[in-house]
């Protein structure tokens, strides 16, 4: 069995994750499930002993059914937030590596993914209208329309 790099201690929760930025035709791919009221990028926890690059390729395949290739690392995001839903009552800290994936020229996917027992659905959201959706991370609204050629380190504190 493989374990994610993360832990819960007292009222603290920490997670190390790798996620994908998949852009096709001016839209970015997000996932959503029946439990949560928001959209989130394709990705998930990095396993102990796994490189972030391996984790994002694995997670993208698990969630989309498609083998995407990495273009490059675009963002390192440190996020501090108060948990809700399944994380209710926790002080949360997440470090995420966001990888820009190489476009394939199609939005066709083969999704059959579940998250926490809930079916996941893939949604192509238009980059220029991201502010109309409850989508996380919120920095995507400003950053995806002009992704820099260097890795950006972003810290958000939503506590």
């Amino acid at each position: 069995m493989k374990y994610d790099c993360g832990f819960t201690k007292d009222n603290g929760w920490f997670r190390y994750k790798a996620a994908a930025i998949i852009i096709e035709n001016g839209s970015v791919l997000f996932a959503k499930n029946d439990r949560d009221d928001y959209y989130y990028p394709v990705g998930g926890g990095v396993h102990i002993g796994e490189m972030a690059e391996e984790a994002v390729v694995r997670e993208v395949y698990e969630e989309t059914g498609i083998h995407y290739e990495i273009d490059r690392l675009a963002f390192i995001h440190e996020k501090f937030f108060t948990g809700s839903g399944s994380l209710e009552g926790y002080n949360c800290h997440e470090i995420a590596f966001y990888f820009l994936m190489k476009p394939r020229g199609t939005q066709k996917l083969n999704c059959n993914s579940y998250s926490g027992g809930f079916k996941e659905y893939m949604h192509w959201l238009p980059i220029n209208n991201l502010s109309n959706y409850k989508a996380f991370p919120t920095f995507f609204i400003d950053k995806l329309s002009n992704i820099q050629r260097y890795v950006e380190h972003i810290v958000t504190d939503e506590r």
Side-chain angles (χ1 to χ4, degrees):
M1 174 175 262
K2 301 194 182 211
Y3 295 97
D4 286 350
C5 294
F7 61 88
T8 303
K9 181 156 176 57
D10 300 326
N11 69 334
W13 175 89
F14 174 81
R15 181 177 185 200
Y16 169 38
K17 102 177 188 187
I21 301 169
I22 302 172
I23 298 173
E24 297 284 355
N25 301 319
S27 295
V28 62
L29 185 63
F30 277 90
K32 189 171 181 323
N33 62 50
D34 292 328
R35 175 185 57 190
D36 299 313
D37 67 345
Y38 57 88
Y39 298 88
Y40 49 91
V42 174
V46 176
H47 293 165
I48 293 173
E50 181 180 45
M51 291 187 301
E53 292 90 344
E54 295 169 332
V56 75
V57 168
R58 173 184 52 77
E59 287 284 346
V60 167
Y61 180 71
E62 288 174 3
E63 294 180 33
T64 68
I66 304 294
H67 292 284
Y68 275 89
E69 292 180 51
I70 295 172
D71 180 353
R72 63 183 181 80
L73 179 63
F75 303 104
I76 297 172
H77 183 212
E78 292 185 75
K79 180 179 177 182
F80 301 89
F81 61 102
T82 302
S84 62
S86 61
L87 295 175
E88 188 72 42
Y90 286 101
N91 294 317
C92 302
H93 181 179
E94 181 177 78
I95 296 177
F97 284 30
Y98 286 94
F99 291 91
L100 184 62
M101 307 305 277
K102 293 180 180 177
R104 297 174 42 246
T106 178
Q107 292 181 341
K108 186 172 170 50
L109 304 171
N110 186 22
C111 175
N112 190 23
S113 177
Y114 286 81
S115 175
F118 292 88
K119 173 106 174 92
E120 284 187 305
Y121 304 93
M122 299 295 124
H123 299 270
W124 292 98
L125 304 182
I127 291 172
N128 60 358
N129 288 331
L130 272 183
S131 60
N132 295 336
Y133 299 89
K134 186 175 181 182
F136 296 100
T138 55
F139 75 82
F140 275 14
I141 293 168
D142 297 323
K143 297 292 186 177
L144 289 191
S145 59
N146 186 26
I147 298 174
Q148 301 300 315
R149 291 299 315 159
Y150 54 86
V151 177
E152 286 191 72
H153 176 211
I154 296 170
V155 178
T156 55
D157 192 337
E158 301 168 3
R159 295 176 286 191

